[in-house]
Amino acid sequence: NPPYEGVFASFRRLRSITIQPGDEKKISMYAQRFYEYLGRCSSLTSIKIPEDIKEKSIFLKGHWFSSHNVFQTSIKLTGVHSWNDLIANDNQNNTCKKGLKKLDVLEEPSNEYLVKHLHYLPQKQKLVKNQLVDAKAILNHLQSHLKDNPEDIMDIPLLSRTDQLIASDELYINDLPAYKNAGKKNDKLEFCQNQFETLARSCGVVSLAGEITPNFDADNSKKSEGTKKSSWEDYLRSDCFKGAVLRLIYHDGKISRDEIEQASLDEILPSQIVLMDLLIIKNFIEDTWIFDDSQASIFFDTQSLILYLLNQNDYEDVVQIITEFITDKFGLTRDSLFLMIRILRDEFDY
C-alpha cells in the first residue's frame, strides 16, 4: 500500500477535476476505490484522516459533499444525503462501508446537528414549501428522539400554526377549549402546531390549560339587584353545614380522623355569595391577557373568599352549582354530591 499522504494527495487531485458531462461514472468509480482503500487499511483510523478530506469526500449525483452531511440512514432533508445513494446494501460493499465510516459517515444525524440545521432556516417568516418540509422532518426526528441528549433540544424554534419557525418561549400550546370558543380573545398569540405538542412541552412551551389565571372583571360584570342571599351565606358558614361537609370528606377518604378540623374549611368555603346578572372572567398568563369568558356560571375569588354566581332565577340550579363547586374543591364523589344537594334542599325546602 502507498503511504497515506500519497493517497490523500491523489484524492485531492481527483476532487479538483472539472467535471464534464459523462465524467460522473468514472469519478464515482475512483471515489469508490478510495473508500475501499480506507476500509482495507486496519491501521488507518478516522482521526488520521485530514479534515479537509472529510469536508469534501463523498461523490454523489455528480457533486462532492462533506461526509458530515451524509448518513447511513435516509432522512429527507435539503443538503443531507444517505449512503444508500452511493452503495448497494449488500455484503459486497462492507469494505466500502468501513471506509465511509472512517470518513465519519454516521448512522443518523445527532440532535445537535438537526438543531443547527433548524436555525439555518428562515425564522419568524412564513416558510416556503421545501423549507416547511425540512422543518417538519427535523422536528419529527427530534420529537421521536427526545431521550437522546435532551439538553440539545431545550431552546429551539418550533413551527407555529402560521408555518413560521418561532422561539419556543414565544409560543403557547392551545389546549384550552374555552379559549377556542371565546368571542373576545387575544388573536395575536402564536400557537405551536398540534403534531409537535410533545416536543413543545419538553421545550417548556406554555400551556394555556396549565398556566391560565382567571380574574373577576368587576368593571364589566353586572350584579343582580334586590336579591336576598344572607341565608345562603349564613348556612354555608354554619358549624352544622361545615360538619356535614367534613363527614363527607372523611367518608370519601380525603382526610384522616386526626385531620378533621372545621377551621380548615374556612379557607375554602365562601364567606359571601354574590348573584350576578352578567359574569365576566378575564384570563391571563402572567401579564398577558388571553381571553374573556362570558359563559362562566361561577367564580370563586380565593383572596376575598367571595363566590360569584350567575343568577339562574331557579334555586334548584343554584343548589346544583354550589354543591358542584364544593365537590370539585374537595375532590368528592358523585354520591357525596347528591347527599349535599339533599342537605341543602332540606334546609331551604326547595
Side-chain angles (χ1 to χ4, degrees):
N1 291 337
Y4 300 148
E5 284 304 322
V7 175
F8 295 150
S10 296
F11 185 71
R12 291 187 181 100
R13 286 195 296 274
L14 176 66
R15 294 186 317 191
S16 67
I17 294 174
T18 301
I19 302 172
Q20 302 294 335
D23 289 345
E24 290 92 340
K25 188 173 182 180
K26 185 179 292 186
I27 293 174
S28 179
M29 179 187 68
Y30 287 129
Q32 290 261 1
R33 289 182 180 176
F34 174 68
Y35 309 144
E36 291 169 359
Y37 166 80
L38 298 180
R40 287 195 303 270
C41 293
S42 57
S43 60
L44 179 60
T45 59
S46 175
I47 199 170
K48 293 180 181 179
I49 300 176
E51 195 60 34
D52 76 290
I53 294 290
K54 296 177 182 178
E55 281 300 321
K56 192 179 177 183
S57 60
I58 310 299
F59 190 74
L60 280 173
K61 302 175 182 178
H63 300 278
W64 291 101
F65 297 100
S66 167
S67 61
H68 302 304
N69 292 326
V70 179
F71 300 91
Q72 299 168 31
T73 55
S74 179
I75 178 170
K76 294 181 180 180
L77 195 61
T78 303
V80 177
H81 308 275
S82 166
W83 72 3
N84 292 334
D85 299 325
L86 181 67
I87 56 177
N89 191 20
D90 55 47
N91 292 331
Q92 294 179 352
N93 286 279
N94 279 342
T95 303
C96 185
K97 289 178 181 178
K98 288 180 181 177
L100 290 169
K101 289 178 181 178
K102 290 181 181 180
L103 287 169
D104 291 342
V105 174
L106 302 177
E107 182 176 353
E108 63 180 7
S110 66
N111 288 346
E112 182 181 10
Y113 174 93
L114 290 174
V115 169
K116 286 182 180 178
H117 211 96
L118 195 62
H119 282 286
Y120 293 151
L121 293 170
Q123 309 289 306
K124 285 192 172 183
Q125 66 184 64
K126 190 174 178 64
L127 301 181
V128 297
K129 185 176 180 180
N130 66 308
Q131 295 168 342
L132 188 59
V133 169
D134 282 356
K136 288 182 176 180
I138 293 172
L139 294 174
N140 274 316
H141 186 93
L142 293 175
Q143 185 162 253
S144 63
H145 291 72
L146 279 174
K147 295 182 180 179
D148 304 338
N149 299 320
E151 64 277 2
D152 294 334
I153 317 178
M154 293 299 293
D155 184 21
I156 63 171
L158 296 168
L159 272 176
S160 72
R161 294 188 178 182
T162 53
D163 290 338
Q164 301 181 67
L165 281 172
I166 297 178
S168 55
D169 60 359
E170 297 177 25
L171 289 169
Y172 295 89
I173 296 173
N174 190 359
D175 55 355
L176 191 63
Y179 172 84
K180 301 173 187 177
N181 300 328
K184 188 177 181 181
K185 56 188 173 183
N186 187 343
D187 293 320
K188 295 181 180 180
L189 301 179
E190 289 284 1
F191 296 104
C192 69
Q193 295 189 5
N194 289 342
Q195 61 186 312
F196 303 118
E197 185 174 317
T198 299
L199 181 60
R201 291 185 186 279
S202 176
C203 293
V205 174
V206 173
S207 152
L208 292 191
E211 299 295 332
I212 205 80
T213 301
N215 290 278
F216 175 64
D217 185 355
D219 293 333
N220 295 301
S221 296
K222 185 178 179 182
K223 184 178 177 182
S224 296
E225 298 296 335
T227 304
K228 295 181 180 180
K229 53 192 179 305
S230 58
S231 58
W232 281 101
E233 298 167 15
D234 292 343
Y235 184 70
L236 289 177
R237 305 295 295 183
S238 70
D239 290 343
C240 178
F241 183 70
K242 287 193 288 186
V245 173
L246 280 171
R247 286 192 295 272
L248 292 174
I249 296 172
Y250 175 72
H251 181 268
D252 285 350
K254 300 300 180 181
I255 58 174
S256 66
R257 185 177 295 276
D258 294 337
E259 294 174 318
I260 297 178
E261 297 178 7
Q262 291 192 15
S264 64
L265 295 181
D266 291 338
E267 298 176 359
I268 299 177
L269 292 178
S271 61
Q272 183 182 356
I273 296 176
V274 178
L275 295 182
M276 308 294 296
D277 286 336
L278 178 62
L279 182 57
I280 304 294
I281 307 301
K282 283 192 172 294
N283 293 275
F284 293 83
I285 292 181
E286 295 183 347
D287 295 328
T288 301
W289 170 70
I290 306 299
F291 72 101
D292 284 357
D293 184 1
S294 59
Q295 303 300 315
S297 59
I298 185 170
F299 178 75
F300 182 56
D301 189 324
T302 56
Q303 298 298 317
S304 64
L305 301 183
I306 296 176
L307 181 65
Y308 296 94
L309 288 179
L310 189 65
N311 195 344
Q312 307 290 329
N313 294 317
D314 184 339
Y315 280 108
E316 187 73 25
D317 291 337
V318 173
V319 167
Q320 185 76 23
I321 293 172
I322 291 175
T323 51
E324 286 181 352
F325 163 74
I326 295 173
T327 299
D328 291 343
K329 279 291 181 182
F330 292 103
L332 302 181
T333 63
R334 297 296 292 178
D335 287 342
S336 293
L337 169 67
F338 295 137
L339 283 171
M340 208 179 312
I341 290 175
R342 186 183 302 171
I343 291 170
L344 290 176
R345 280 175 177 168
D346 291 345
E347 175 66 22
F348 292 97
D349 194 25
Y350 297 130

